[in-house]
Amino acid sequence: MSGAEPARRRPGRPRLEEPSEEYRRKREALIGAAAELFRQRGYAATTLDEVAEALDVRKASLYYYVRSKDALLQLVFERALGQAIETVERIDAIDDPARQLDALIELQIGVVTQDPGHFAVFFDELGARRTSRPGG
């Protein structure tokens, strides 16, 4: 026997090291719903109340997943860019330049047809924010 007592666990539930699968799933649903509403109505015209209604939750519940409407827009941007970067990295691995060009064209068509909400919001809001800056 070594005489040393094992470390005692603190009372209460152990802290999660990373978000649960349910949290990630609900947050992804929130981002998707927001992207679609932002695309349909525009970012400025869409309220968090409308996003909550689309998800059939209370507005206060949204704040568990995002701190503000701007933070939600940032998540929409990050999702759109993340998807594009993943695809471009796969295309970059293609050795044949003609096949790379074909893949890039297919990417553009796919973005527009499969998930138009994310990139529509990205480009609409990016342009709106640039023109709303002083001197912009």
Side-chain angles (χ1 to χ4, degrees):
M1 290 211 279
S2 67
E5 286 189 37
R8 297 185 83 179
R9 191 174 76 77
R10 295 178 58 185
R13 291 173 52 190
R15 291 186 184 254
L16 293 174
E17 296 295 320
E18 59 184 51
S20 70
E21 184 59 35
E22 180 183 5
Y23 175 89
R24 285 194 289 260
R25 186 174 33 80
K26 287 182 178 181
R27 187 169 173 161
E28 287 300 311
L30 168 61
I31 296 166
E36 183 59 25
L37 286 168
F38 293 164
R39 183 185 66 80
Q40 290 174 359
R41 301 180 36 80
Y43 172 76
T46 302
T47 66
L48 284 180
D49 288 316
E50 292 166 327
V51 175
E53 184 178 321
L55 293 167
D56 197 28
V57 299
R58 293 185 2 219
K59 179 181 173 182
S61 298
L62 298 181
Y63 291 106
Y64 179 68
Y65 301 97
V66 294
R67 69 181 181 279
S68 67
K69 187 172 135 182
D70 278 343
L72 185 53
L73 179 62
Q74 179 72 29
L75 291 172
V76 171
F77 283 2
E78 287 174 7
R79 180 191 273 182
L81 290 174
Q83 290 169 348
I85 289 169
E86 285 176 15
T87 305
V88 168
E89 286 173 348
R90 286 193 305 271
I91 292 170
D92 188 46
I94 299 171
D95 291 333
D96 179 19
R99 286 185 50 223
Q100 273 187 332
L101 180 60
D102 287 344
L104 282 170
I105 292 169
E106 287 178 23
L107 168 64
Q108 284 302 112
I109 292 169
V111 164
V112 171
T113 59
Q114 293 174 2
D115 199 2
H118 289 86
F119 276 97
V121 170
F122 179 81
F123 288 115
D124 288 350
E125 284 308 309
L126 189 62
R129 287 170 185 252
R130 283 187 177 152
T131 57
S132 67
R133 280 190 269 158

